[in-house]
Amino acid sequence: MSVFVAFVLAILNAMLMDNVVLSRFYGICSFIGVGNRVKSATSMGLAVTFVIVLATVVCWPIYTFLLVPAGIAYFDTVIYILVIASLVQAVALFIRRFSPSLYRGLGIYLPLITTNCAVLGVVQSNTDTGLDFLSSLANGVGTSLGYFLVIFLFACIREKFEGTNMPKAMKGVPIALVTAALLALSFYGLQGII
Amino acid sequence: MDNAIAKPSKKEAFLAPLLKANPLFVLVLGTCPALAVTTTLEQAIGMGILFTVVLALSNVIISALRKFIPEYVRIPSYIVIIATFVTVVKLLAEAFLPELYSSLGVFLSLITVNCIVLGRAEAFAQDNPVLPSLLDGLGNGLGYTIAICIIALFREILGAGTLSFGKTFTFIPQVTIPLLKGDTWDYSMPLLQQPTGAFLVLGIVIALIAVIVNFRAKQAKIKKEEVKE
């Protein structure tokens, strides 16, 4: 039972207290680029969630049972990025086969997940800090849920900017960053609850 | 003239990314490390140097191999080349600059997925000779270093109130310059050291640059009209 409670707390911690975008700064590029439409933000969030969890599940055994016994643990980044790129490709094929409409909806965002630093960041920090499998999984699930939550909230806010009268210089990226700052401030208030 | 468009001059390849096409301020690429490692100026300088090395070396290798890499596997090939250089730089930093290595942490590995590196490979190195590619890599790396140093300056001076050296680069003597915070006074804003401050400073700096660019465009337009009249 206590294992289960610790698992849930670790997920909550990675999702809210140490949010992936707003306090660890992973995946800002896609956050700023995609997060201006609720629909595309939701699709992107779902796809990234799926890939992060899958990558965590696949990369942890590869590191522990292949790279470390073979003595090439320093090669981890190269292996991870190859695994992530293949996973993204596999997910794209899978989605195209079973749900062509979702595939069309995701469009260009699918291949771009490879270069989303949230995926590599989670996998790399899991093995860098020496987490065990369950903690890694909790970190992966929590991080991806946190990403989904924040990109959705952010897109909802940014849709309201359309047609608002704001200084020309603030339009586009600057106002998005200031919005992110305010969101980060509210998430900062959650720190230290657990 | 046609030649100049197809092949930008070496000088242009190096100078353009410093200000006019700055990868962070103008193109808004590579924002993740720009927000994460800019709490102190020293960290930003360290990140900038390591980033420039990776970018220049991967640009050179990709441009040297541009005739051998088949087009349909080019992206995976580039990523593997970049990841290899990141690993090399990571091992070197761990051996010679252990403080820098531990303070940058996972963001050193994340250079692999920094959009600027892959972007330069796609946009420049894959169809230009080795020397211009090297200059392009150095210019972009330097432009990025300048950009993150500006952000770090704001965040360290306003957020911590002091400017300190010698903590990350241990081979220089430790100095702390009190600016907004001394023994008896403290006007610093610790919020800027938090994640919120990172977003806020980057947003405001990009907005200020947009103000300057807009102002200069307006001035140029007025001048043009005066000449016409």
Side-chain angles (χ1 to χ4, degrees):
Chain A
M1 190 63 197
S2 66
V3 176
F4 178 72
V5 172
F7 186 71
V8 172
L9 283 184
I11 289 182
L12 280 178
N13 184 51
M15 180 179 166
L16 296 174
M17 289 65 168
D18 196 11
N19 186 276
V20 57
V21 181
L22 298 175
S23 111
R24 280 182 280 167
F25 302 118
Y26 300 162
I28 310 274
C29 287
S30 62
F31 184 65
I32 302 283
V34 184
N36 50 3
R37 285 250 160 270
V38 173
K39 206 172 160 223
S40 57
T42 318
S43 315
M44 184 69 176
L46 275 177
V48 168
T49 306
F50 192 58
V51 173
I52 289 182
V53 175
L54 215 56
T56 322
V57 173
V58 173
C59 287
W60 194 86
I62 289 183
Y63 181 80
T64 319
F65 300 122
L66 280 178
L67 297 183
V68 174
I72 48 169
Y74 57 84
F75 228 54
D76 51 358
T77 310
V78 181
I79 303 291
Y80 291 159
I81 194 74
L82 278 176
V83 169
I84 291 168
S86 341
L87 271 180
V88 170
Q89 202 64 253
V91 167
L93 286 177
F94 185 82
I95 293 179
R96 189 160 71 173
R97 174 77 180 75
F98 289 99
S99 170
S101 61
L102 181 63
Y103 183 78
R104 272 193 303 277
L106 288 174
I108 182 72
Y109 303 128
L110 256 181
L112 280 182
I113 297 174
T114 310
T115 52
N116 187 321
C117 33
V119 186
L120 184 64
V122 170
V123 173
Q124 184 84 46
S125 65
N126 276 346
T127 51
D128 277 0
T129 47
L131 294 180
D132 59 27
F133 184 70
L134 215 55
S135 312
S136 299
L137 188 62
N139 191 17
V141 173
T143 303
S144 49
L145 288 179
Y147 182 83
F148 183 74
L149 175 72
V150 168
I151 201 170
F152 178 73
L153 284 177
F154 189 59
C156 291
I157 299 174
R158 276 180 81 182
E159 274 203 344
K160 301 270 181 250
F161 286 157
E162 262 169 46
T164 27
N165 189 12
M166 63 174 91
K168 202 174 150 203
M170 288 300 283
K171 265 184 189 152
V173 178
I175 191 69
L177 284 166
V178 173
T179 311
L182 294 176
L183 262 181
L185 193 62
S186 56
F187 270 73
Y188 181 62
L190 292 172
Q191 253 171 14
I193 285 182
I194 292 182
Chain B
M1 200 58 204
D2 281 339
N3 203 18
I5 288 168
K7 278 194 180 126
S9 76
K10 287 172 192 145
K11 201 176 139 197
E12 183 75 354
F14 180 71
L15 289 179
L18 291 187
L19 274 176
K20 214 165 51 181
N22 190 294
L24 181 62
F25 288 155
V26 181
L27 307 175
V28 204
L29 295 174
T31 33
C32 316
L35 296 170
V37 303
T38 49
T39 40
T40 66
L41 181 62
E42 265 195 316
Q43 238 182 41
I45 295 174
M47 179 71 188
I49 295 171
L50 298 181
F51 178 80
T52 308
V53 171
V54 171
L55 183 55
L57 288 179
S58 64
N59 249 9
V60 166
I61 295 294
I62 287 166
S63 119
L65 294 175
R66 68 188 186 280
K67 297 211 170 74
F68 300 101
I69 297 176
E71 198 176 335
Y72 50 90
V73 290
R74 68 180 197 286
I75 302 277
S77 322
Y78 297 163
I79 291 184
V80 170
I81 292 171
I82 296 165
T84 312
F85 279 118
V86 169
T87 307
V88 171
V89 166
K90 216 164 78 176
L91 291 176
L92 286 175
E94 194 175 2
F96 296 106
L97 295 164
E99 280 81 14
L100 182 66
Y101 176 79
S102 57
S103 71
L104 292 182
V106 75
F107 286 95
L108 210 45
S109 308
L110 288 184
I111 297 178
T112 316
V113 284
N114 192 315
C115 333
I116 302 173
V117 189
L118 200 62
R120 287 334 287 170
E122 272 279 294
F124 197 92
Q126 69 174 357
D127 24 50
N128 280 291
V130 175
L131 189 61
S133 301
L134 173 67
L135 288 173
D136 178 78
L138 286 176
N140 273 288
L142 214 60
Y144 188 68
T145 308
I146 293 171
I148 59 176
C149 283
I150 291 175
I151 294 171
L153 258 180
F154 275 113
R155 286 187 69 193
E156 196 178 358
I157 294 177
L158 297 177
T162 54
L163 208 54
S164 56
F165 297 95
K167 279 198 183 124
T168 311
F169 298 114
T170 39
F171 51 84
I172 56 171
Q174 272 206 24
V175 192
T176 305
I177 308 164
L179 290 165
L180 290 177
K181 184 183 178 181
D183 298 328
T184 51
W185 79 98
D186 184 358
Y187 299 109
S188 62
M189 296 177 268
L191 185 72
L192 289 188
Q193 291 270 299
Q194 302 300 336
T196 309
F199 286 108
L200 206 58
V201 170
L202 183 62
I204 290 174
V205 170
I206 292 180
L208 284 180
I209 288 177
V211 168
I212 297 170
V213 168
N214 286 345
F215 180 74
R216 285 181 57 180
K218 218 181 210 170
Q219 293 283 313
K221 209 176 160 192
I222 291 170
K223 222 174 211 174
K224 225 179 186 176
E225 274 165 11
E226 274 173 4
V227 170
K228 254 186 203 166
E229 281 165 13

PDB file of all heavy atoms in Angstrom, chain A residues 111-123:
ATOM      1  N   PRO A 111       6.419  14.058 -35.989  1.00  0.00           N
ATOM      2  CA  PRO A 111       7.882  13.899 -36.072  1.00  0.00           C
ATOM      3  C   PRO A 111       8.642  14.864 -35.175  1.00  0.00           C
ATOM      4  O   PRO A 111       9.746  14.566 -34.737  1.00  0.00           O
ATOM      5  CB  PRO A 111       8.190  14.154 -37.554  1.00  0.00           C
ATOM      6  CG  PRO A 111       6.982  14.774 -38.117  1.00  0.00           C
ATOM      7  CD  PRO A 111       5.830  14.320 -37.300  1.00  0.00           C
ATOM      8  N   LEU A 112       8.028  16.025 -34.874  1.00  0.00           N
ATOM      9  CA  LEU A 112       8.727  17.017 -34.053  1.00  0.00           C
ATOM     10  C   LEU A 112       8.894  16.581 -32.601  1.00  0.00           C
ATOM     11  O   LEU A 112       9.682  17.169 -31.866  1.00  0.00           O
ATOM     12  CB  LEU A 112       7.975  18.345 -34.079  1.00  0.00           C
ATOM     13  CG  LEU A 112       8.209  19.193 -35.323  1.00  0.00           C
ATOM     14  CD1 LEU A 112       7.450  20.489 -35.205  1.00  0.00           C
ATOM     15  CD2 LEU A 112       9.684  19.478 -35.495  1.00  0.00           C
ATOM     16  N   ILE A 113       8.141  15.553 -32.172  1.00  0.00           N
ATOM     17  CA  ILE A 113       8.265  15.113 -30.775  1.00  0.00           C
ATOM     18  C   ILE A 113       9.682  14.630 -30.496  1.00  0.00           C
ATOM     19  O   ILE A 113      10.185  14.760 -29.384  1.00  0.00           O
ATOM     20  CB  ILE A 113       7.233  14.010 -30.477  1.00  0.00           C
ATOM     21  CG1 ILE A 113       5.826  14.573 -30.649  1.00  0.00           C
ATOM     22  CG2 ILE A 113       7.379  13.496 -29.064  1.00  0.00           C
ATOM     23  CD1 ILE A 113       4.759  13.541 -30.522  1.00  0.00           C
ATOM     24  N   THR A 114      10.355  14.101 -31.517  1.00  0.00           N
ATOM     25  CA  THR A 114      11.737  13.631 -31.329  1.00  0.00           C
ATOM     26  C   THR A 114      12.606  14.721 -30.730  1.00  0.00           C
ATOM     27  O   THR A 114      13.403  14.472 -29.836  1.00  0.00           O
ATOM     28  CB  THR A 114      12.343  13.210 -32.678  1.00  0.00           C
ATOM     29  OG1 THR A 114      11.431  12.339 -33.324  1.00  0.00           O
ATOM     30  CG2 THR A 114      13.665  12.519 -32.480  1.00  0.00           C
ATOM     31  N   THR A 115      12.451  15.955 -31.230  1.00  0.00           N
ATOM     32  CA  THR A 115      13.314  17.028 -30.753  1.00  0.00           C
ATOM     33  C   THR A 115      12.661  17.820 -29.623  1.00  0.00           C
ATOM     34  O   THR A 115      13.114  18.903 -29.293  1.00  0.00           O
ATOM     35  CB  THR A 115      13.674  17.993 -31.889  1.00  0.00           C
ATOM     36  OG1 THR A 115      12.470  18.410 -32.514  1.00  0.00           O
ATOM     37  CG2 THR A 115      14.569  17.343 -32.890  1.00  0.00           C
ATOM     38  N   ASN A 116      11.605  17.271 -29.020  1.00  0.00           N
ATOM     39  CA  ASN A 116      11.031  17.923 -27.849  1.00  0.00           C
ATOM     40  C   ASN A 116      11.892  17.548 -26.652  1.00  0.00           C
ATOM     41  O   ASN A 116      12.034  16.369 -26.325  1.00  0.00           O
ATOM     42  CB  ASN A 116       9.605  17.407 -27.659  1.00  0.00           C
ATOM     43  CG  ASN A 116       8.872  18.144 -26.565  1.00  0.00           C
ATOM     44  OD1 ASN A 116       9.448  18.468 -25.542  1.00  0.00           O
ATOM     45  ND2 ASN A 116       7.617  18.409 -26.780  1.00  0.00           N
ATOM     46  N   CYS A 117      12.479  18.554 -25.979  1.00  0.00           N
ATOM     47  CA  CYS A 117      13.448  18.173 -24.954  1.00  0.00           C
ATOM     48  C   CYS A 117      12.791  17.553 -23.735  1.00  0.00           C
ATOM     49  O   CYS A 117      13.471  16.976 -22.910  1.00  0.00           O
ATOM     50  CB  CYS A 117      14.360  19.323 -24.563  1.00  0.00           C
ATOM     51  SG  CYS A 117      13.646  20.925 -24.612  1.00  0.00           S
ATOM     52  N   ALA A 118      11.448  17.634 -23.624  1.00  0.00           N
ATOM     53  CA  ALA A 118      10.804  16.991 -22.488  1.00  0.00           C
ATOM     54  C   ALA A 118      11.087  15.490 -22.496  1.00  0.00           C
ATOM     55  O   ALA A 118      11.366  14.898 -21.454  1.00  0.00           O
ATOM     56  CB  ALA A 118       9.307  17.246 -22.512  1.00  0.00           C
ATOM     57  N   VAL A 119      11.059  14.874 -23.681  1.00  0.00           N
ATOM     58  CA  VAL A 119      11.223  13.419 -23.755  1.00  0.00           C
ATOM     59  C   VAL A 119      12.637  13.032 -23.330  1.00  0.00           C
ATOM     60  O   VAL A 119      12.840  12.255 -22.394  1.00  0.00           O
ATOM     61  CB  VAL A 119      10.910  12.913 -25.175  1.00  0.00           C
ATOM     62  CG1 VAL A 119      10.932  11.410 -25.200  1.00  0.00           C
ATOM     63  CG2 VAL A 119       9.582  13.431 -25.656  1.00  0.00           C
ATOM     64  N   LEU A 120      13.639  13.599 -24.012  1.00  0.00           N
ATOM     65  CA  LEU A 120      15.026  13.268 -23.669  1.00  0.00           C
ATOM     66  C   LEU A 120      15.347  13.713 -22.244  1.00  0.00           C
ATOM     67  O   LEU A 120      16.051  13.010 -21.512  1.00  0.00           O
ATOM     68  CB  LEU A 120      15.990  13.920 -24.661  1.00  0.00           C
ATOM     69  CG  LEU A 120      17.456  13.563 -24.469  1.00  0.00           C
ATOM     70  CD1 LEU A 120      17.681  12.082 -24.707  1.00  0.00           C
ATOM     71  CD2 LEU A 120      18.352  14.357 -25.380  1.00  0.00           C
ATOM     72  N   GLY A 121      14.827  14.868 -21.844  1.00  0.00           N
ATOM     73  CA  GLY A 121      15.108  15.387 -20.504  1.00  0.00           C
ATOM     74  C   GLY A 121      14.658  14.434 -19.420  1.00  0.00           C
ATOM     75  O   GLY A 121      15.404  14.153 -18.483  1.00  0.00           O
ATOM     76  N   VAL A 122      13.437  13.900 -19.548  1.00  0.00           N
ATOM     77  CA  VAL A 122      12.927  12.989 -18.524  1.00  0.00           C
ATOM     78  C   VAL A 122      13.756  11.716 -18.484  1.00  0.00           C
ATOM     79  O   VAL A 122      14.210  11.287 -17.423  1.00  0.00           O
ATOM     80  CB  VAL A 122      11.441  12.655 -18.800  1.00  0.00           C
ATOM     81  CG1 VAL A 122      10.976  11.540 -17.897  1.00  0.00           C
ATOM     82  CG2 VAL A 122      10.603  13.880 -18.609  1.00  0.00           C
ATOM     83  N   VAL A 123      13.980  11.129 -19.661  1.00  0.00           N
ATOM     84  CA  VAL A 123      14.709   9.857 -19.711  1.00  0.00           C
ATOM     85  C   VAL A 123      16.114  10.034 -19.145  1.00  0.00           C
ATOM     86  O   VAL A 123      16.587   9.247 -18.324  1.00  0.00           O
ATOM     87  CB  VAL A 123      14.755   9.361 -21.170  1.00  0.00           C
ATOM     88  CG1 VAL A 123      15.638   8.145 -21.281  1.00  0.00           C
ATOM     89  CG2 VAL A 123      13.370   9.042 -21.658  1.00  0.00           C
TER      90      VAL A 123
END
